[in-house]
Amino acid sequence: MKAAHYLPLFTVFLVTACGPQPSEGTGSSAESVQATVEKPAVETVEGVTTVRIDGNDRMQFTLTEFTVKAGDTVRIIFENKGRMPKTAMGHNVVVLKKGVDANAYAGKAALARDTDFIPASEADSVIAHTKLLGPEESDTIEFTAPEPGDYVYLCSFPAHCFAGMRGIMTVKE
Ligand SMILES: [Cu+2]
């Protein structure tokens, strides 16, 4: 199978496409979140940190904090373990750039139903995001861990971020 040879190139493309833009750091405005980690699922192998996060029908992420090293590749494997239909209980993971107001982003996202709650007007606020998932669906995203700091990730389905479906990615030197 020749396709395997193209994978590294494809990965580089993904990282480039989703990589952070240099922006003025306004310091960390990330709010602290309650960490109810049921199943720590963070593993780093040769510069790639794989993070497994599940969503459920109670509007929760199974992982609400993780730490990565600046410059490493972050691979988030997100799975919707709920049973409710996507229209009522869809989930995604949106990783915001440093300093972006998560509540403001979520408020705008809630109005963007046509684009699965990823508002095009706020694209500059996002490092990377998964697709909106229905029950038993999964999606994987990759990006390069940006400069050190705290970065909020959230589900942008209406009301989910406000209900607590958010977490913090800490990037260390
Ligand atoms: Cu959600």
Side-chain angles (χ1 to χ4, degrees):
M1 182 77 178
K2 249 186 166 171
H5 295 290
Y6 298 126
L7 191 56
L9 190 60
F10 184 58
T11 302
V12 168
F13 171 75
L14 274 181
V15 167
T16 304
C18 300
Q21 309 296 321
S23 61
E24 274 189 35
T26 52
S28 169
S29 66
E31 299 162 32
S32 64
V33 294
Q34 289 183 325
T36 49
V37 179
E38 299 171 24
K39 183 180 66 175
V42 184
E43 184 182 27
T44 301
V45 179
E46 293 178 359
V48 179
T49 297
T50 299
V51 181
R52 289 182 173 80
I53 306 174
D54 297 339
N56 61 37
D57 285 342
R58 289 168 296 165
M59 296 182 286
Q60 292 170 334
F61 285 140
T62 51
L63 190 68
T64 54
E65 57 182 12
F66 63 90
T67 299
V68 297
K69 187 168 171 285
D72 275 7
T73 296
V74 183
R75 176 184 297 145
I76 296 179
I77 302 172
F78 179 55
E79 190 170 348
N80 182 354
K81 291 278 182 71
R83 293 184 175 176
M84 292 174 66
K86 184 175 168 179
T87 49
M89 187 59 73
H91 299 304
N92 61 13
V93 174
V94 181
V95 184
L96 299 178
K97 289 183 184 172
K98 195 196 278 186
V100 173
D101 183 327
N103 290 336
Y105 180 87
K108 286 173 182 163
L111 305 174
R113 184 174 291 273
D114 288 349
T115 51
D116 281 350
F117 309 110
I118 302 294
S121 63
E122 307 306 306
D124 281 350
S125 298
V126 175
I127 294 174
H129 67 85
T130 69
K131 290 181 273 196
L132 185 69
L133 304 182
E136 307 205 356
E137 292 180 336
S138 70
D139 191 24
T140 299
I141 55 174
E142 284 191 5
F143 55 93
T144 301
E147 63 179 19
D150 287 345
Y151 296 78
V152 176
Y153 59 93
L154 57 88
C155 173
S156 69
F157 193 92
H160 288 196
C161 175
F162 300 103
M165 204 165 186
R166 61 166 76 192
I168 301 285
M169 172 179 76
T170 299
V171 180
K172 292 195 166 168
E173 201 70 61

